[in-house]
Amino acid sequence: MAESDFHIHDTTCANGMPARVTKPKTGGPFPVVVIMHERYGLVQHTLDLAQRCARDGFLVVSPNFFFRHPDLSVLNAGDSRYDLTDPESVELIDAAFELAGHDKDADMSRKIVAGYCQTGRHPLVYASQRKLAAAVVWYGACSQREWAVNHLQPKKLEDVIAAVACPVFGAFGAADHIISIDDVCRFRNTLETMKKSYEIHVYPDAPHGWLNDTMPGRYRAPQADAGWADQQTFMKKVTQPGFKQTHMDWHFDCAFALDYDFTKNVRLE
């Protein structure tokens, strides 16, 4: 589908947060997906993901969650950081869904939040406080620092997960220099201990950020295509009209080299 096949509208949430709404031109009502961006803010990669998601029949809101940063150009270049707190993430996702609720094509009974990299934990945080159809996590949420309690993360991640009431999708790479296989297993084990349905994939030879095709050093096309297909299949399943979680569903698909050594994984651009 070309860009002309979508309705694309740049707007502002009630709290002043800029956002783009992307949806198919025909059909509806559509399930609503709020896409959270990587640490670079709302850049082209996130807008491309929104369009890909809309192609599959979703209304997508892609806000600039770091709009309060004093110099967005520096942030976009990766030369600065915005530390989004868990409480602030809930406030901003609420604003994004409020915006979607004014769209006649939005089915607000079927909502998903997807987070990537730095924002990977925030779909879980939101799902621990609000009703969602699913929380989607891409190479985030379970590195060593995510389990700490501090001013950014006032609750234990275990307690956050315990309060999640929807299925969780996770996509990780075996070559990630931030998240180890052990970290992913800890995340999986916590989901199981807390009796949460999940679908987690660990893709071989995929470094951190391997979905981002604007960064050639880290992009891995076969794994990116497989991961996106797995995500979309999962999202379509949990947003089918009348879908009910009638049993616990645990799916863990993990592939990595026999000589795997997390200490040898490196940051790639």
Side-chain angles (χ1 to χ4, degrees):
M1 296 173 72
E3 188 168 306
S4 58
D5 296 315
F6 304 96
H7 279 299
I8 299 176
H9 177 53
D10 290 322
T11 184
T12 303
C13 299
N15 64 345
M17 178 172 63
R20 173 172 290 187
V21 178
T22 308
K23 63 180 180 179
K25 278 191 174 178
T26 59
F30 306 109
V32 178
V33 180
V34 170
I35 289 186
M36 303 187 74
H37 47 69
E38 296 178 297
R39 69 183 187 91
Y40 307 101
L42 185 59
V43 293
Q44 189 59 47
H45 169 58
T46 308
L47 300 177
D48 292 342
L49 293 182
Q51 192 163 308
R52 290 180 68 183
C53 197
R55 182 182 300 126
D56 287 333
F58 295 90
L59 185 150
V60 184
V61 183
S62 38
N64 186 345
F65 285 94
F66 299 164
F67 75 106
R68 291 168 174 151
H69 188 281
D71 192 334
L72 291 177
S73 61
V74 173
L75 180 77
N76 295 160
D79 296 326
S80 185
R81 181 181 176 90
Y82 184 85
D83 289 324
L84 183 67
T85 70
D86 286 354
E88 185 182 14
S89 74
V90 174
E91 170 213 330
L92 298 182
I93 297 169
D94 274 343
F97 278 127
E98 180 185 9
L99 176 70
H102 295 296
D103 193 304
K104 62 180 180 59
D105 290 322
D107 183 347
M108 300 302 292
S109 69
R110 298 183 287 163
K111 301 187 295 186
I112 291 174
V113 180
Y116 300 79
C117 185
Q118 182 186 338
T119 62
R121 69 178 283 112
H122 298 298
L124 300 172
V125 172
Y126 193 79
S128 72
Q129 300 182 41
R130 306 284 191 268
K131 184 177 179 180
L132 287 178
V136 173
V137 177
W138 280 77
Y139 34 79
C142 64
S143 66
Q144 290 294 313
R145 63 178 176 237
E146 301 286 356
W147 302 89
V149 173
N150 50 51
H151 72 286
L152 299 176
Q153 305 163 182
K155 293 183 179 179
K156 291 182 179 179
L157 185 56
E158 292 92 339
D159 293 340
V160 170
I161 292 172
V164 169
C166 65
V168 175
F169 177 89
F172 302 92
D176 196 314
H177 69 289
I178 297 174
I179 299 172
S180 69
I181 299 296
D182 286 343
D183 293 331
V184 177
C185 289
R186 181 181 181 183
F187 183 50
R188 176 204 63 191
N189 294 343
T190 303
L191 287 163
E192 292 185 2
T193 298
M194 301 301 178
K195 298 295 188 294
K196 308 301 175 182
S197 287
Y198 70 82
E199 179 177 326
I200 292 175
H201 299 265
V202 180
Y203 301 91
D205 305 315
H208 191 78
W210 44 273
L211 182 66
N212 192 335
D213 60 0
T214 70
M215 306 186 80
R218 62 176 61 174
Y219 176 59
R220 298 292 183 270
Q223 293 92 328
D225 290 344
W228 190 261
D230 289 335
Q231 173 197 267
Q232 295 306 93
T233 298
F234 171 86
M235 286 173 33
K236 288 180 180 179
K237 177 181 73 174
V238 300
T239 56
Q240 284 293 319
F243 172 82
K244 293 182 179 180
Q245 186 177 336
T246 57
H247 58 278
M248 201 58 51
D249 188 359
W250 294 345
H251 179 87
F252 185 63
D253 178 23
C254 179
F256 58 96
L258 289 174
D259 61 352
Y260 172 81
D261 183 350
F262 175 63
T263 65
K264 294 182 179 178
N265 290 351
V266 296
R267 176 185 173 88
L268 299 172
E269 299 295 339

